[in-house]
Amino acid sequence: MRTGLYDKLVRAGATRRDILKGAASMAAIAAASGAGLGAFTRPASAASELRSKILQIPGVGKGQPTDADFQKVGELCLEATKANVKQGEFAGVELTFMGLNNQNLHNVLFRGFLKPWEAYTGAKISWIDLAQADYNARLQQSIATGTVDFDIIEMGAPFEGDVCGKGLTSEMPDWVKKQIDFDDLVNYLKPPVGTWDGKQYRVTIDGDTHNFNYRTDVFADADLAKQWKDGGGAGEWGVPKTWQQVQAVTKFLKGKKFKGQDVYGYLDAPKPWGGFGFYFLGSRATAYAKHPDDKAWLFDADTMKPRINNPAWVRAIQDVIDALPSEPADQINADPNTTGFQQFLAGTGSMIPWWGDIGSNVKTNDSSVIGDVTGFSILPGSDDVYNSKTGKWEKLASGPNYSPNCAYLGWGVYVMARVDKDEKKKKAAWSAAAHLGGKDLSIWTAMYPSGFQPYRNSHFDIPEWVAAGYDEAFITSYLKSEGDSYNHPNAAIEPRIPGIFQYYSAAEDILANTFAGKMKAQEGADAIAAAWEKLTDQIGREKQIKLYKASLGLA
Amino acid sequence: MADQILPTKDWPANAVPSDLIPPGRKRLGWAVMAAATLGLLATILVQILYKSEVDTIGFETWRPVVYAYVLWGVALGIGQVLTRGEDGQRALFLLPALLFTIAMVIFPTLFGFYIALTDWNLSSFSGRRFNGLDNFWQMLADPYYRNALFNMVLYVLAVLVEYVIAFGLALLLNAQIRARKFFRVVFLMPLMLSPVAVSWMVGKSLMEYRFGPAATLARHLGWENPAFFSDPIIARISIMVLDAWTFIPFMMIMLLAGLQAMSREILEAARVDGANAWQTFWQVTFPLMLPVSVTAVILRIIFKLKLADIIITVTSGGPGGATDSVSSFIYREYRDRSNVGYGTMLAMAYLVIIIVFVTWLLKFANRFVRNVN
């Protein structure tokens, strides 16, 4: 077998054993080619015909999808539901769905997708919409006060400790696994993600990693290249591969003009964002802090002692402090929403880390002006990496250390245990969740602005994206950045421990003060570590150690 | 007086004057109230012990405690009539308000003080644990809370500037100017808008660093980097401006009402005595307007002490806590960190501070008005 093909298969989620086994290798090849071999016994041609059809709604480059488009897509993807549910079977059932309305995505799409499902099944859905920054608080209050007032929830894997760990979710029935073609998920989203105590709870609707988004036109500009060389810049002018280069480029671009406009380098997101903003410091830190020989990077796995104040994290914090003066003047007030959607898509800045939403928005979002000039890669690496066990910085023989930040592990749809006592309601809730997590519908959400990014092996079929209207070079770059991050051997994996967002939120507030110059990087990091220690004691250290180890696969 | 009271038989069954109630009936009334009170306290105690996992006897929900409370209310009513006759009947009219106040004000306040003494984080496996004064000591050592209190002092001082502007506008709208009605409506409009809407329209759009018209104008005027919310001092001032823009009309309308209620004869008499406009204002208008001014300023300060929505929307307290108010800080402690115990301690401490401060302010204002007049 050619090594290129082997690598492609492994990236697509096939194991070495799969490839070497005759029959299984067929499945692996099918997975890699996007055809998949789900339990769904539909002719492949019908499936691909349906996918082609939905991917033309409204069509890449033809403006942003509307509610009518969501409903059309939902209608066309109903076949999988019809195989398990009779028409009108859920008449009289009322469900409540809690999720986000961030960027007018998430719930806004779900409403449209589920309208045809409601019409067919007879069920009725009420909606609870939350802003991203309010999500954690609303969920925690519902859990702590025993007032879970929703039947279905859109939730991220980090909250599984808080929710599934407290027995609040319903276990996934087997028919749902078949309907959503569970085996098509990329490897890193397979169990233990979505499970608790060995039981499957989550219908995955998203994959998550931070990738590196950059402006191809800026880094191909001859004039900037000349200025870089004349200014004594190290190496050739081009896309930075390490954080050290990111810093150098960001400082170099300060005060420079490009196409008559101010040009900026990297965009940091210092403003708190309900805990989610911490991921953006995490993306700067993983290459420094995540050693290939150590799965842990946020805490010490044996003691839960925070590593946030070790030299690696302090260096990342210092990087932000050093870079901010070279970023737009009001950057201290930018949260990730601002950097991603108001700055980068609008043409400000030339590098940001973000979830895959940037890639699926640059071509399809009405506010994007950078559709043809965006490139993608995994997060930058670092010339050296900190070894927490030895307490020393190390240069790896293999070159720079890379560690993609698999932040948040994607959104999923979970059914709450409160429906379990009513079989009809339970089936309705799971049917709605399965519809949203359907294989065909998922390719549409991966391609259009939805809040979700590729999460299935079948999402990595480049010809399908090209047929839908994507530029081949663009989409190859995008999907490669995603796939390479998901499957990276040194990926920094989100710890699924209770209260993780309290840790992040506590850090965010202290970081905001640090970035504003109220304290030095080390002081800020020490303050975060102290807050985290207090939180660990509050929540229960021994349990946290156990769960943290489990999330890292060390248990 | 006993000799003026009509015979008992002429009174309706329950409407007996207090001093003619038989001792037996009084004892029955006290017994009913005591039994209901004991029943309520026992229900609460049982439920607290059950929920704290000290005891295994209790209820799954707090609903039985609510039922016990309602029964206690009914027993209290019966007991009042039995023990106090006519007076007890009159007291019945106060009973709904009393029960509501206990349920909605007194109980939450007491419960809040209890929560403030616990180490309650919503993610904690062990739920609420009593931790004495730990939260209090933590609060005293918390530089961010102190910083928010300091910001509140600045925000409250800004009310004086708002007052001057509001008074100026009120005088303007009280004068015989053209299109007076139109201007009254225009100046009142900000008050009709939600502070969050104002935050988005003005703070996030008009004052936006790159494309906002205010920033563009500032650049034309020579301010190279007009980032209204990046520098701590400018950010504070910007928040004050946003807040003032929303609430100055409130003070203005109060002051305008005061000006219009003022006797024209006094002003005319001042003019006849030869006072110019300046003297008339300082020696007649301003002193006579003091009671209204004090009311307007105190009410505005009370609104100001609750300032949070504009800050949360525009800066989240940044940069580096420079714009944090106490309310926005407490909000984040609850919302982002789910730290209910400590957040409640902060809120309770702030409540005490506000009560002390407003009480002093009222006394000071009264003395000030008396001295001036």
Side-chain angles (χ1 to χ4, degrees), chain A residues 47-195:
Chain A
S48 70
E49 196 181 317
L50 169 64
R51 287 161 81 91
S52 305
K53 202 170 175 182
I54 61 172
L55 292 178
Q56 294 310 314
I57 304 171
V60 173
K62 294 183 181 168
Q64 206 155 335
T66 62
D67 185 59
D69 295 322
F70 307 147
Q71 289 188 49
K72 272 185 222 162
V73 173
E75 176 82 49
L76 288 167
C77 294
L78 261 183
E79 284 307 311
T81 297
K82 289 174 181 175
N84 289 310
V85 178
K86 295 187 195 75
Q87 185 156 8
E89 186 177 339
F90 303 140
V93 171
E94 292 196 8
L95 298 166
T96 304
F97 189 117
M98 185 165 101
L100 289 186
N101 61 359
N102 201 31
Q103 296 287 344
N104 274 330
L105 303 171
H106 298 265
N107 268 11
V108 179
L109 275 73
F110 296 157
R111 274 189 187 76
F113 292 152
L114 283 167
K115 263 185 191 147
W117 178 90
E118 286 177 273
Y120 173 76
T121 64
K124 192 178 174 310
I125 299 181
S126 308
W127 297 88
I128 300 171
D129 292 344
L130 298 173
Q132 182 120 10
D134 296 333
Y135 182 88
N136 175 47
R138 173 64 162 84
L139 180 59
Q140 297 292 356
Q141 283 162 22
S142 294
I143 298 164
T145 56
T147 50
V148 172
D149 54 346
F150 43 89
D151 305 301
I152 311 171
I153 182 173
E154 177 197 25
M155 185 177 86
F159 297 104
E160 284 170 0
D162 291 300
V163 180
C164 307
K166 289 175 181 163
L168 295 169
T169 37
S170 173
E171 190 180 356
M172 184 190 285
D174 286 342
W175 64 266
V176 173
K177 274 189 189 175
K178 285 182 185 163
Q179 184 176 320
I180 62 173
D181 193 357
F182 188 83
D183 294 338
D184 188 33
L185 295 179
V186 293
N187 267 356
Y188 101 109
L189 292 175
K190 285 182 176 164
V193 172
T195 69

Side-chain angles (χ1 to χ4, degrees), chain A residues 137 330 333 502 513 519 538-539, chain B residues 119 124-125 229-230 320 337:
Chain A
D330 201 28
N333 277 307
Q502 274 96 298
N513 284 284
M519 50 184 118
Q538 251 182 327
I539 294 172
Chain B
D119 177 18
S124 173
F125 291 107
F229 301 103
S230 292
R337 296 205 274 281

